[in-house]
Amino acid sequence: MKTKQQIDRTARDLDPEVHDSNFMGAKLKSERRYNTLFRDYDDPNKLREIAGNVKQHTLEHLDTYLEQAEESFKRNGAQVHYAIDDAAVNAQVLRIMNETGSQTMVKSKSMLTEEVHMLDYLEKNGKTVVETDLGEFILQIDGDHPSHIVTPIVHKNRRGIAKSFEREGLGDYNDDPETITRRARKHLRQKYIDAEVGLTGGNFVSAESGRIVLVTNEGNARFCMAANKIHIAVIGIEKLVPTDRDLGLFINLIGRSGTGQQVTVYNQFISGPKKDSQPHGPEQMHVIFVDNRRTEVLASDCREILRCIRCGACLNVCPIYRQSGGHAYRSVYPGPVGAVLSPLLAGNRFPELADLPKASSLCGACNEVCPVNIPIPDLLLRLRDKAKREGAKEAMKGTPNLGMWATLCSQPTMWKTALSMGHTMNYIPTEMIPHPSAKSWQGARKLPKFEGGEFRKWFKKRAK
Amino acid sequence: MSLLHTPPNRPAGKSIQLMSTCLCDAFYADVAQATVEVLEFLGCDIELPDGQTCCGQPAFNSGDWANSRKVVRHTAKVFAGDKPIVVPSGSCAAMIFHGAPLEFEKEADLPVIRALADRTWELLDFIVHGLGVTEWPGKFDAKITVHRSCHLRGTKSPEAMATLLDSIEGLQVEPIDETEQCCGFGGTFAVTFPNISNSMGTLKIEKLIACKPDIVAAADMGCMMHFGGMMEKQGLPQKRMHVAQILRDSLKNAGKI
């Protein structure tokens, strides 16, 4: 069917095989989430509300908690840096690599490094960077980018991956998942040993103790730190929680919400470089707190989106994401959370992504599954209002002009006249109604029979 | 909008104002009629404000808040007073008690809109939690499936609907898979994202008719106009009813009205 919206067009034109991978991947994770969460807790909604409140409180006192976190990290022997934007964080990482005479980096999965295009930057500056998360590694060798924030290659299938491995000289064509994984494992083991720098993100950071929590299922984040001397943690300023005590709540929620696991396989608590009493581990730990427009989001009326812990539950449950896949959102963060966050993080490029908040039936499933209870539909609506006020063309494409309608709805006499006149609609073939919305409606549906004013007549007649 | 907390302490007397909704006004007269017959059976005295038009939701969801506020202001004027406002649509009800206060956050007349919101009820929620009805004395021999429309999410309406339907003699409500999934209507979404909307509708119809029900029911004519229109385009002879119509017809079958 004809459509003016890019995301709808992508969904329409999507390769059926890719569509099915996206759809089934998302649906299965939604079902696992529901089964695990509701088996383990009588009232998971209570947990979601508490977790949302903890994050909201932290955001509202971010200045205090950031300073506290900085002090805690320094006390633990880590070095703390702040980066205002993409250029600043990339330059800071390069500086650390240069100052420590480092050439090669192994890194674990981090959406923030995707956001600031760190790989491209470091490679342009002569460094070697290896993604060690299996999905991210496959994306790296394919020159592709993630379509999901937790399962980045959900859009791919094993046959394509087997071809990529063959092309990269990782063995003859073999699409057995275990063989693929073993080959990647063997290949990556040497990379861990060769690298000088290990870079990670941070899922949660306790301001009280200066402790970073990293959750993975592959253990690659800890390998990134095992064999080299420098650990760099790149962390968005919204990742803070006040105390260690809060971590239990979030670790219990993130695995269950994202993949339906009670707990992720590897959970690491990193509170600084290695101590003298410890035989192994990085000698330097650098924590880089990154803003990259997060303070602008904090100042906006969509600040609740900063609570997000990147579990992906809203993507998985979203009927639009299930149809369109993540790449349709043309940004690092797809799905419901991305439809709010991506346009906001785009700064003055907001108009280019202003259609993202429109890609929702506002069904509210995202809010219902969100472990930090973000009112995503309300935020989507606020952004639709912003897009309209700012005249963002991408957002308005295909949306009927509602000026006449509003006038009609504010004038009861006109409204009632229109209701009685509407009956003529039943005598013309509805396909001939020249309005684009009527045409779009009838691509897949029939219009109902017009009965304008019938109820009012009935009500009046029967009133004694 | 999922955790649509319905306003606390809403008025619940039997003297009410009916918001019949623009869809019933234009297309579904019998749904509004059934609503009246059901409420009158319960002893309600119904006022139908003559100037009512639409709740303002099409423009609200489209991001055209200036035009939506114009319509909401009109609605607030038409529905003046302090009686409970009853709406046979979860979506229009949520527009008034949740959407309208959201788009009036920065407006001087927010208190007027808040007051309107704080006396608005979805029909089934009103019957069970407003009037305290826990059993429906009707009779209806049929196997039905129910589409849980998204604007009931987080409200007490689904529970109210179950209470009423489960107590009707002869009525068999079959559960459906993936009840949390949207049907793909979403107001103007249905025309701006026609392909995705159609795919969502196809999935929903599949679940709704899987058990070959006699009737597919819902408490929102918006959703039903969308997936019902799809069924008709596909030539699917599936009978559909608003829950209010089932409640009314069950009373007729039991000889209560």
Side-chain angles (χ1 to χ4, degrees), chain A residues 82 160 270 294 350 425:
Chain A
Y82 290 94
I270 315 290
R294 283 159 176 71
F350 173 81
M425 304 246 287

Side-chain angles (χ1 to χ4, degrees), chain A residues 166-279:
Chain A
E166 189 182 26
R167 186 191 64 222
E168 297 294 316
L170 294 170
D172 296 336
Y173 180 92
N174 187 327
D175 62 12
D176 167 46
E178 191 175 324
T179 307
I180 291 173
T181 312
R182 283 193 186 283
R183 285 174 175 174
R185 179 186 165 110
K186 187 164 171 250
H187 175 77
L188 289 170
R189 280 297 152 98
Q190 193 55 44
K191 302 290 178 192
Y192 290 120
I193 294 164
D194 295 343
E196 293 103 352
V197 171
L199 184 135
T200 69
N203 294 91
F204 309 104
V205 175
S206 160
E208 175 191 39
S209 63
R211 196 167 262 134
I212 294 174
V213 181
L214 286 164
V215 305
T216 75
N217 281 319
E218 299 170 23
N220 59 311
R222 73 178 188 176
F223 268 134
C224 286
M225 284 173 276
N228 51 56
K229 303 293 178 206
I230 318 289
H231 172 210
I232 304 172
V234 181
I235 295 167
I237 52 174
E238 81 282 18
K239 295 289 181 183
L240 291 175
V241 297
T243 68
D244 282 7
R245 217 184 129 90
D246 300 314
L247 296 173
L249 179 62
F250 291 100
I251 292 169
N252 270 302
L253 278 170
I254 194 167
R256 287 185 175 85
S257 302
T259 49
Q261 293 168 281
Q262 283 186 301
V263 68
T264 32
V265 179
Y266 296 91
N267 299 277
Q268 287 164 266
F269 298 78
I270 315 290
S271 58
K274 90 176 188 65
K275 296 197 175 71
D276 291 341
S277 57
Q278 294 170 320

Side-chain angles (χ1 to χ4, degrees), chain B residues 135-200:
Chain B
E135 252 180 273
W136 197 252
K139 199 169 165 303
F140 200 105
D141 285 318
K143 177 168 85 173
I144 69 165
T145 55
V146 178
H147 167 58
R148 195 286 317 261
S149 52
C150 293
H151 280 97
L152 303 185
R153 208 187 286 271
T155 73
K156 285 176 160 182
S157 295
E159 175 212 316
M161 191 194 301
T163 300
L164 295 172
L165 293 180
D166 289 349
S167 66
I168 293 175
E169 191 191 328
L171 192 70
Q172 182 191 346
V173 183
E174 285 288 322
I176 66 159
D177 278 346
E178 294 192 84
T179 185
E180 89 291 347
Q181 285 286 308
C182 171
C183 71
F185 175 54
T188 50
F189 172 82
V191 293
T192 37
F193 290 76
N195 296 288
I196 296 179
S197 170
N198 183 35
S199 301
M200 289 163 69

Side-chain angles (χ1 to χ4, degrees), chain B residues 61-194:
Chain B
N61 283 0
S62 301
D64 190 353
W65 286 15
N67 274 318
S68 176
R69 282 193 290 258
K70 197 168 152 184
V71 178
V72 170
R73 283 194 176 102
H74 169 75
T75 300
K77 206 168 70 190
V78 169
F79 284 86
D82 53 9
K83 292 179 187 173
I85 301 165
V86 180
V87 195
S89 155
S91 151
C92 310
M95 174 62 204
I96 302 295
F97 68 66
H98 183 87
L102 189 71
E103 65 176 346
F104 275 80
E105 267 173 347
K106 292 171 193 158
E107 302 293 310
D109 48 352
L110 174 65
V112 179
I113 304 307
R114 191 72 258 179
L116 179 78
D118 288 349
R119 57 193 183 88
T120 300
W121 294 83
E122 184 277 323
L123 173 68
L124 307 172
D125 189 16
F126 178 73
I127 293 174
V128 174
H129 302 111
L131 299 178
V133 174
T134 53
E135 252 180 273
W136 197 252
K139 199 169 165 303
F140 200 105
D141 285 318
K143 177 168 85 173
I144 69 165
T145 55
V146 178
H147 167 58
R148 195 286 317 261
S149 52
C150 293
H151 280 97
L152 303 185
R153 208 187 286 271
T155 73
K156 285 176 160 182
S157 295
E159 175 212 316
M161 191 194 301
T163 300
L164 295 172
L165 293 180
D166 289 349
S167 66
I168 293 175
E169 191 191 328
L171 192 70
Q172 182 191 346
V173 183
E174 285 288 322
I176 66 159
D177 278 346
E178 294 192 84
T179 185
E180 89 291 347
Q181 285 286 308
C182 171
C183 71
F185 175 54
T188 50
F189 172 82
V191 293
T192 37
F193 290 76

Side-chain angles (χ1 to χ4, degrees), chain A residues 338-408:
Chain A
V340 177
L341 194 56
S342 297
L344 287 169
L345 292 180
N348 57 13
R349 286 180 41 245
F350 173 81
E352 291 170 35
L353 294 178
D355 61 311
L356 267 55
K358 298 292 277 259
S360 166
S361 61
L362 302 170
C363 81
C366 48
N367 189 175
E368 200 169 57
V369 300
C370 176
V372 283
N373 199 23
I374 303 171
I376 294 176
D378 287 358
L379 306 186
L380 292 171
L381 282 158
R382 287 198 176 116
L383 290 178
R384 290 180 185 189
D385 168 51
K386 175 181 156 77
K388 168 77 180 170
R389 280 187 285 107
E390 295 177 4
K393 288 197 189 81
E394 281 306 318
M396 297 320 291
K397 282 180 182 167
T399 300
N401 186 329
L402 292 155
M404 274 292 288
W405 165 87
T407 305
L408 192 66

Side-chain angles (χ1 to χ4, degrees), chain B residues 240-255:
Chain B
R240 304 178 300 273
M241 288 176 89
H242 189 285
V243 175
Q245 292 172 301
I246 295 183
L247 295 179
R248 187 258 328 261
D249 288 4
S250 77
L251 291 175
K252 281 188 176 164
N253 295 341

